[in-house]
Amino acid sequence: MNKKTFIIAGGTKGVAKQVVIKLVKLGYNVVFGDLNDADEADKLLTKLKKHKGKAYFILTDVTKVTDCENLFKFAFEKFKRIDGFFSYAGITPTQSLLECTEELHDEIFDVNLKGALFCSKYAIKYMKENENGGSIIFTGSPHSDAGEIDRVSYACSKGAVVTLANHIAKNYGKHNIRSNYITMGWTPTEGELALRKTQGMSKDDLKKYASNFVPMGRMNKYKDIVPAIIYLLSNKSLMTSGSNFRITGGWYM
């Protein structure tokens, strides 16, 4: 019961999936939630059974406050502590300001900001009970600085998450709760590949295209990002808070 427990929102795909795998391999307790991905979660749980840590999946729609609450309540009741939260759930639909619809704008903000905010609420509730508090990590994007023309609502949602991360760092540090924001550069996640497929790009096409914009000449790999997240969740980062870690290969929007 004394092993550290971590919560991952959006844990069945992309970087978050790799973080779930790494944490369980290290022997920690992990509870991850995602929307409509129960089959993927079952496959992942089967693979993780051979490792030291324990993993559980909770079907979670972060746009529903009750689902956010239940994700953390389940973890606390199961393991009696919550030490870290990685907020990865997000969507990246494209729309320019002139094409922006209220429906899509609200959907983006509900997932990317509302979900992150209310999950953080419950993370902090339980982390306050720990002597060493806990660590919250938000997923950022270079779009948060201004954004490309076709990402207006996405860019604004990620900019708001920067404010949320800094708000928590400033106001809850007294409870030893850390809050940091990782700006992930161009990464060929499942979501990115699916988006680019609708634009007629293959994975190889995307990598070649991205190399023209990223100063270091390539897209991110999972191994570029996961170690930073593990560090921020660990006791090695007890005084690291209010930071924006840019893993972008020098890429700015």
Side-chain angles (χ1 to χ4, degrees), residues 18-243:
Q18 302 307 313
V19 171
V20 170
I21 293 170
K22 183 64 175 179
L23 289 171
V24 173
K25 284 183 176 180
L26 289 171
Y28 297 118
N29 302 317
V30 179
V31 178
F32 62 104
D34 216 326
L35 177 64
N36 298 330
D37 274 330
D39 290 341
E40 287 298 317
D42 287 341
K43 293 177 185 177
L44 180 55
L45 289 170
T46 299
K47 292 180 180 179
L48 293 174
K49 285 182 179 178
K50 62 183 178 181
H51 298 297
K52 295 184 293 183
K54 294 185 180 297
Y56 291 86
F57 172 75
I58 302 295
L59 196 64
T60 305
D61 179 352
V62 296
T63 69
K64 298 178 179 177
V65 175
T66 53
D67 277 21
C68 298
E69 181 179 14
N70 289 338
L71 177 64
F72 287 84
K73 183 178 179 182
F74 173 87
F76 188 78
E77 290 180 348
K78 191 76 179 176
F79 298 114
K80 309 306 178 189
R81 62 184 297 146
I82 292 174
D83 299 276
F85 168 52
F86 177 35
S87 177
Y88 186 76
I91 56 174
T92 60
T94 57
Q95 63 173 355
S96 72
L97 181 57
L98 296 182
E99 298 167 338
C100 183
T101 65
E102 181 180 8
E103 181 180 16
L104 186 54
H105 174 83
D106 288 348
E107 181 183 1
I108 293 169
F109 266 74
D110 280 351
V111 177
N112 295 358
L113 178 60
K114 178 183 175 182
L117 189 150
F118 280 97
C119 280
S120 297
K121 170 184 176 179
Y122 296 107
I124 291 169
K125 172 184 175 180
Y126 294 113
M127 288 178 184
K128 284 174 66 177
E129 300 188 22
N130 299 335
E131 180 180 353
N132 286 327
S135 174
I136 298 174
I137 304 169
F138 295 97
T139 303
S141 165
H143 286 278
S144 65
D145 296 327
E148 294 289 356
I149 193 169
D150 65 346
R151 303 294 176 93
V152 60
S153 297
Y154 176 74
C156 291
S157 72
K158 287 300 184 180
V161 173
V162 174
T163 301
L164 174 61
N166 291 336
H167 173 85
I168 293 171
K170 176 184 177 183
N171 294 291
Y172 296 92
K174 60 189 175 185
H175 301 291
N176 292 318
I177 293 172
R178 292 126 46 215
S179 174
N180 293 287
Y181 182 93
I182 291 188
T183 298
M184 296 183 190
W186 223 333
T187 309
T189 62
E190 294 94 334
E192 179 69 13
L193 292 176
L195 172 64
R196 298 302 174 175
K197 186 176 180 179
T198 67
Q199 300 171 342
M201 278 191 185
S202 68
K203 184 175 182 178
D204 288 339
D205 291 336
L206 175 60
K207 286 184 174 181
K208 184 176 180 180
Y209 177 71
S211 69
N212 295 318
F213 298 94
V214 180
M216 295 186 77
R218 67 168 176 85
M219 301 181 79
N220 281 341
K221 298 177 181 179
Y222 291 141
K223 66 180 181 180
D224 298 318
I225 302 169
V226 173
I229 296 169
I230 300 302
Y231 165 75
L232 290 173
L233 290 174
S234 75
N235 282 349
K236 294 179 181 179
S237 67
L238 290 179
M239 285 297 288
T240 304
S241 192
S243 299

